[in-house]
C-alpha cells in the first residue's frame, strides 16, 4: 500500500496541471483565433501604413467634430437609458421580489421576452409603434422615430428584465425583518428603506446599472433602425466607416475607444459582483414573498402591470398587428417567393438558415463555455485562468461589427480560409453565446462539493469520468438553460452576421434589416412578418428556459 501510495502522489500534480491545461486550451484557442485575431487585424490594418504605426491618426480622428458628437451621444444616451431603465424597472423588481400574486410566473416570462429578442426585432417593434404609419401616427399624428425618445424607450424595453432579474433576485433574498426592526425603533418607512434595504441592494443595483450601460453603450440594431441619419452610436459609426465609407483607420480608432470603455465597465461589473457575493447574508426567497396588503400595495402592483402592458407588450402586439395588415396573410405569403432584388432566395428561407446556424453556434458555445466554466471552478486554477474569466465577457461589449469585418479580412488565407464556409456565421454567433453559457454554469459548478470530485479521483476515475459521474448529473439543468440562452442570442445576432452572411443564405435579423432598408409597403410588411416569426421562436425558447430555471436564480 505504501509503495502504491508513493507511486500515485508524485503523479497527482502533473495530472492536475494537465487537466487544467486541457480544460482551458480549447477556450483560449477559440478566443485567440476568432476574437483577438480578427479584432487585432482590423486595428492593425487601420493604424499601420507602410510598416509603421500611425498613432497620430488617433488625435486626428478625435479632433473631428462629427466623431466627437458620436462619442458624446453614445455616452449621453447610455447614461440616460440606464437612469430611465432604473427609474421604471425598480418598482417592478420590488413587486416580483416581495409580492406573490396569480400569474406571477407568466408575467415574469413576459418581462424576460424582450431581453432575448434580437435588437433588430426591438427596433422594428418600436418602428411599428412610433414610426411612419405606426400606432401613434394613426391615432394622434405623432411620430417619434428618428428622435432620441424612441431610442431611450426601446432601450428601456430591452433592458427592463435586466434590472428586474438582477435587483429583484437579490431583493427577494433579503431578510425583511431587518427593515421591520428599524421601523419598530421609530424609523419611517422611507428612512428604514434608505438606511437598511438600499445599502444592501447597492451592489445589485450597481451591477444592473453597469450591465444596462454596457448594452446601451454598444447599441447597434436599435439605433440603426430608429436613429436614422441623425443619431449614431460608436457601434453604428464603426459600421458606417467600414461598410459605407471604407475608412478603416477611423473605424480602428473608434474600435480602440470602445474597447477601452467596455474594459473599464467590465472591471467595475466584476468588482460589484464580488461585493454582492461576499458581503450579504441572504434567506430563502420562497419565504419573503406575500400577497399584497392594502390599497397602496395593490395600486403598486396594478401600476407595474400597466407599465409592462404599455411598454413591453404593446410594441410586440403592434408588431404582430402590422404583420397581419395585408389580407389573407399577404405579407407572410410574400415571404415564400424570391423578389429578384436584394435576396437571391425566398425570404422565408432565412428561418431555416437561422435555425441551422443557431444550433451549430449553440453546440460550439456550450462546448467552449462548458470547458471554460469547468476550468474556472477548479480549486487549483492559476492566476491566468482566473484572469481569463474577465476576458470571456469582452465579446458582449466589443464591437460585433468589428469582429464581423475582421472575419472577412483575417480568415481569408490557408489554413483559416473560411470566407466561403458556412461555419463562419456560427463561429461569430458563438462568441456572443459563450459568456451566457459561462455565467449560467459557473455558479452551479462552484456549488458542487469539491470533495466528491476528489473522492472519485482517489478511486481511480479519470478527469472525464469525474465530470461525467459527478458534475454532469448536478449541472444538467444549468447546461440546458445555458444552451437555451446561447440558442436565443445566436438566433438574434446581427452586428457581425450582417457582414458575413451570404446573400443566398441570409439570417432572420439580416433579412429584416435589408427589407426595412428598401422602400415600399410590401417590404415593410415582410419585415414585420419576419420579425414576428423571429419573436415567436425566441419566445418559445424562453418559455422552455422558464420551465427549467429555478426560482432562486436571480441573474441571467
Amino acid at each position: 500500500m505504501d509503495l502504491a501510495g508513493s507511486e500515485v502522489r508524485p503523479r497527482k500534480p502533473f495530472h492536475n496541471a494537465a487537466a487544467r491545461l486541457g480544460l482551458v486550451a480549447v477556450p483560449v484557442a477559440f478566443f485567440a483565433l476568432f476574437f483577438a485575431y480578427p479584432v487585432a487585424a482590423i486595428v492593425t490594418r487601420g493604424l499601420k501604413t507602410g510598416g509603421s504605426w500611425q498613432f497620430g491618426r488617433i488625435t486626428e480622428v478625435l479632433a473631428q467634430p462629427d466623431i466627437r458628437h458620436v462619442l458624446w451621444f453614445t455616452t449621453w444616451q447610455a447614461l440616460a437609458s440606464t437612469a430611465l431603465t432604473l427609474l421604471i424597472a425598480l418598482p417592478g423588481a420590488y413587486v416580483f421580489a416581495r409580492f406573490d400574486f396569480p400569474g406571477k410566473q407568466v408575467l415574469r416570462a413576459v418581462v424576460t421576452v424582450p431581453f432575448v429578442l434580437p435588437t433588430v426585432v426591438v427596433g422594428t417593434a418600436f418602428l411599428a409603434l412610433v414610426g411612419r404609419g405606426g400606432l401613434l401616427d394613426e391615432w394622434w399624428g405623432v411620430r417619434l422615430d428618428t428622435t432620441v425618445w424612441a431610442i431611450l424607450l426601446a432601450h428601456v424595453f430591452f433592458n427592463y428584465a435586466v434590472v428586474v432579474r438582477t435587483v429583484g433576485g437579490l431583493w427577494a433574498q433579503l431578510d425583511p425583518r431587518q427593515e421591520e426592526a428599524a421601523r419598530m425603533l421609530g424609523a419611517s418607512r422611507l428612512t428604514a428603506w434608505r438606511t437598511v434595504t438600499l445599502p444592501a441592494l447597492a451592489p445589485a443595483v450597481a451591477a444592473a446599472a453597469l450591465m444596462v450601460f454596457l448594452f446601451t453603450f454598444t447599441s447597434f440594431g436599435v439605433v440603426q433602425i430608429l436613429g436614422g441619419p441623425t443619431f449614431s452610436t460608436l457601434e453604428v459609426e464603426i459600421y458606417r466607416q467600414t461598410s459605407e465609407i471604407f475608412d478603416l483607420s477611423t473605424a480602428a480608432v473608434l474600435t480602440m475607444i470602445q474597447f477601452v470603455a467596455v474594459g473599464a465597465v467590465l472591471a467595475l461589473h466584476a468588482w460589484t459582483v464580488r461585493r454582492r457575493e461576499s458581503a450579504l447574508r441572504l434567506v430563502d426567497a420562497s419565504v419573503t414573498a406575500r400577497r399584497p396588503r392594502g390599497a397602496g400595495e395593490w395600486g403598486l402592483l396594478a401600476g407595474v402591470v400597466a407599465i409592462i402592458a404599455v411598454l413591453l407588450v404593446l410594441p410586440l402586439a403592434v408588431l404582430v398587428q402590422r404583420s397581419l395588415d395585408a389580407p389573407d396573410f399577404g405579407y407572410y405569403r410574400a415571404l415564400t417567393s424570391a423578389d429578384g432584388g436584394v435576396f437571391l432566395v425566398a425570404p422565408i428561407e432565412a428561418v431555416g438558415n437561422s435555425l441551422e446556424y443557431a444550433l451549430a453556434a449553440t453546440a460550439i458555445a456550450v462546448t467552449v463555455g462548458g470547458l471554460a466554466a469547468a476550468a474556472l471552478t477548479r480549486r487549483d486554477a492559476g492566476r491566468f485562468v482566473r484572469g481569463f474569466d474577465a476576458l470571456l465577457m469582452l465579446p458582449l461589449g466589443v464591437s460585433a461589427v468589428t469582429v464581423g469585418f475582421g472575419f472577412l479580412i483575417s480568415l481569408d488565407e490557408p489554413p483559416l480560409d473560411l470566407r466561403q464556409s458556412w461555419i463562419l456565421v456560427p463561429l461569430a454567433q458563438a462568441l456572443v453565446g459563450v459568456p451566457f453559457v459561462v455565467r449560467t454554469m459557473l455558479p452551479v459548478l462552484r456549488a458542487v462539493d469539491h470533495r466528491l470530485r476528489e473522492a472519485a479521483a482517489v478511486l481511480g476515475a479519470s478527469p472525464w469520468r469525474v465530470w461525467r459521474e459527478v458534475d454532469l448529473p448536478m449541472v444538467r439543468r444549468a447546461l440546458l438553460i445555458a444552451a437555451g440562452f446561447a440558442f436565443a442570442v445566436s438566433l438574434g445576432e446581427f452586428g457581425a452576421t450582417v457582414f458575413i452572411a451570404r446573400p443566398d443564405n441570409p439570417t432572420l435579423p439580416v433579412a429584416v434589416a435589408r427589407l426595412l432598408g428598401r422602400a415600399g409597403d410590401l417590404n415593410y410588411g415582410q419585415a414585420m412578418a419576419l420579425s414576428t416569426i423571429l419573436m415567436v421562436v425566441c419566445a418559445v425558447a424562453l418559455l422552455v428556459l422558464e420551465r427549467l430555471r429555478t426560482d432562486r436564480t436571480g441573474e441571467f
Side-chain angles (χ1 to χ4, degrees), residues 154-171:
H155 284 161
V156 175
F157 169 92
F158 187 76
N159 292 292
Y160 186 92
V162 175
V163 177
V164 168
R165 287 295 187 94
T166 304
V167 179
L170 177 61
W171 211 334

Side-chain angles (χ1 to χ4, degrees), residues 9-50:
R9 288 193 187 98
R11 295 167 57 126
K12 186 175 181 181
F14 172 78
H15 288 312
N16 286 342
R20 183 171 68 248
L21 290 175
L23 288 173
V24 81
V26 172
V28 168
F30 177 79
F31 274 86
L33 287 176
F34 302 115
F35 178 69
Y37 179 45
V39 172
I42 283 286
V43 175
T44 301
R45 182 166 297 193
L47 294 181
K48 199 171 184 179
T49 304

Side-chain angles (χ1 to χ4, degrees), residues 252-430:
V253 171
L254 297 180
T255 296
M256 292 172 63
I257 294 172
Q258 184 165 305
F259 187 85
V260 172
V262 166
V265 172
L266 290 176
L268 281 173
H269 180 262
W271 180 69
T272 57
V273 168
R274 284 196 300 269
R275 284 189 59 196
R276 175 180 170 181
E277 289 177 346
S278 61
L280 298 175
R281 181 172 57 85
L282 307 178
V283 298
D284 190 347
S286 63
V287 302
T288 61
R290 56 173 176 76
R291 298 277 291 187
R293 293 192 293 258
E297 292 187 351
W298 281 106
L300 176 61
L301 174 59
V304 168
V305 172
I307 288 174
I308 292 173
V310 173
L311 184 64
L312 305 186
V313 177
L314 183 60
L316 300 180
V318 173
L319 174 66
V320 175
Q321 185 268 326
R322 287 289 181 267
S323 74
L324 298 172
D325 271 351
D328 300 324
F329 301 97
Y331 292 143
Y332 289 91
R333 289 193 294 116
L335 296 175
T336 61
S337 62
D339 60 5
V342 173
F343 296 106
L344 301 179
V345 296
I348 194 64
E349 292 192 20
V351 178
N353 296 335
S354 288
L355 292 175
E356 291 175 2
Y357 287 145
L359 287 172
T362 300
I364 297 171
V366 169
T367 301
V368 175
L371 289 173
L376 291 170
T377 53
R378 291 185 64 89
R379 300 186 64 194
D380 57 348
R383 185 173 300 176
F384 168 77
V385 176
R386 290 192 295 269
F388 187 59
D389 184 16
L391 296 179
L392 292 172
M393 296 293 290
L394 281 178
L396 292 181
V398 173
S399 171
V401 170
T402 300
V403 173
F405 195 67
F407 271 32
L408 290 182
I409 68 172
S410 62
L411 304 180
D412 60 344
E413 296 179 357
L416 286 175
D417 187 4
L418 302 176
R419 284 188 302 175
Q420 301 302 319
S421 174
W422 67 273
I423 197 64
L424 204 60
V425 173
L427 286 171
Q429 294 174 340

Side-chain angles (χ1 to χ4, degrees), residues 2 27 49 56 90 104 135 137 166 226 230 254 265 303 307 328 348 363 427 453 499 508 510 520 541 551 553:
D2 292 338
T49 304
L90 281 176
K104 181 177 178 179
L135 189 65
D137 191 14
T166 304
L226 297 176
T230 307
L254 297 180
V265 172
I307 288 174
D328 300 324
I348 194 64
L427 286 171
R453 302 188 183 106
F499 277 98
L508 276 170
V510 171
D551 288 336
T553 302

Side-chain angles (χ1 to χ4, degrees), residues 42-85:
I42 283 286
V43 175
T44 301
R45 182 166 297 193
L47 294 181
K48 199 171 184 179
T49 304
S52 60
W53 290 93
Q54 305 295 323
F55 290 111
R57 182 59 180 157
I58 298 176
T59 305
E60 294 175 5
V61 171
L62 293 178
Q64 299 176 20
D66 55 338
I67 296 298
R68 290 203 303 269
H69 177 75
V70 168
L71 293 173
W72 174 85
F73 177 73
T74 301
T75 305
W76 178 87
Q77 64 84 25
L79 290 171
S81 297
T82 302
L84 190 60
T85 303

Side-chain angles (χ1 to χ4, degrees), residues 114-128 154 157-158 219-226 316 319 489 491-498 507-517 526-528 530-532 534-535 538:
F115 181 76
V116 300
L117 287 180
T119 55
V120 171
V121 173
V122 175
T124 307
F126 272 81
L127 191 66
F157 169 92
F158 187 76
S219 181
F220 178 58
V222 167
V223 181
Q224 178 83 342
I225 293 173
L226 297 176
L316 300 180
L319 174 66
V489 299
L491 197 66
E493 203 287 321
F494 176 62
T497 309
V498 70
T507 64
L508 276 170
V510 171
V512 169
R514 289 179 181 171
L515 286 168
L516 287 175
Q526 289 183 89
M528 297 294 159
L530 276 181
S531 296
T532 300
L534 186 51
M535 177 187 68
C538 289

